[in-house]
Amino acid sequence: MSTASTRLPDGRYGRSSDERADRTLKIVGAALGAVLLVVVGWFAYHYVGQSKISAQVITFDASKNAVDIHLEVRKDADSSGYCTLRSQSADGAEVGRADFRFDGRATRIDKVVTLRTTAQGTTAELLGCHGE
């Protein structure tokens, strides 16, 4: 009688090379995930934490060739910068855009600014504020 082999057939059980590849992929995935988390955190910090000027449009009054905009600006005492405003006509065309500069020691500024337009404006939109 012959003796049965106790060796397992090749390729049937266990995939040591696949297990190593899976482990490598897990490590690479974890490292890339950590890098992505750091990058998102860095951008969030600089976007939120470093924003020194914020503003909002309180009211506006449109006339034929201008829009008077009541703007409230909040900023750090030592910062200066500008806010960009625009106005659009009833059909959506942009009829005016301008930057308004804010500086000085005040941390809260309430100001009515006049935005000159090329036609009747129906909106007053704050596009953003940027520090310098």
Side-chain angles (χ1 to χ4, degrees), residues 18-119:
D18 286 345
E19 288 173 357
R20 277 181 287 196
D22 288 345
R23 180 183 163 112
T24 303
L25 285 175
K26 287 179 185 177
I27 292 171
V28 169
L32 289 176
V35 168
L36 179 65
L37 189 62
V38 167
V39 168
V40 168
W42 185 79
F43 278 113
Y45 171 76
H46 283 285
Y47 181 74
V48 175
Q50 300 297 320
S51 179
K52 295 183 179 186
I53 297 177
S54 66
Q56 66 180 8
V57 173
I58 305 298
T59 61
F60 68 93
D61 182 33
S63 62
K64 186 175 180 179
N65 292 323
V67 177
D68 293 326
I69 304 168
H70 181 189
L71 189 64
E72 180 183 325
V73 179
R74 294 186 185 272
K75 65 180 191 67
D76 293 341
D78 59 346
S79 66
S80 63
Y82 62 94
C83 292
T84 303
L85 298 167
R86 81 169 175 179
S87 181
Q88 294 177 315
S89 64
D91 65 354
E94 186 176 282
V95 294
R97 178 187 293 236
D99 293 334
F100 293 95
R101 184 163 191 66
F102 297 98
D103 50 9
R105 300 285 307 159
T107 58
R108 183 177 175 271
I109 301 169
D110 258 344
K111 189 173 182 180
V112 176
V113 295
T114 301
L115 175 63
R116 302 280 177 208
T117 59
T118 58

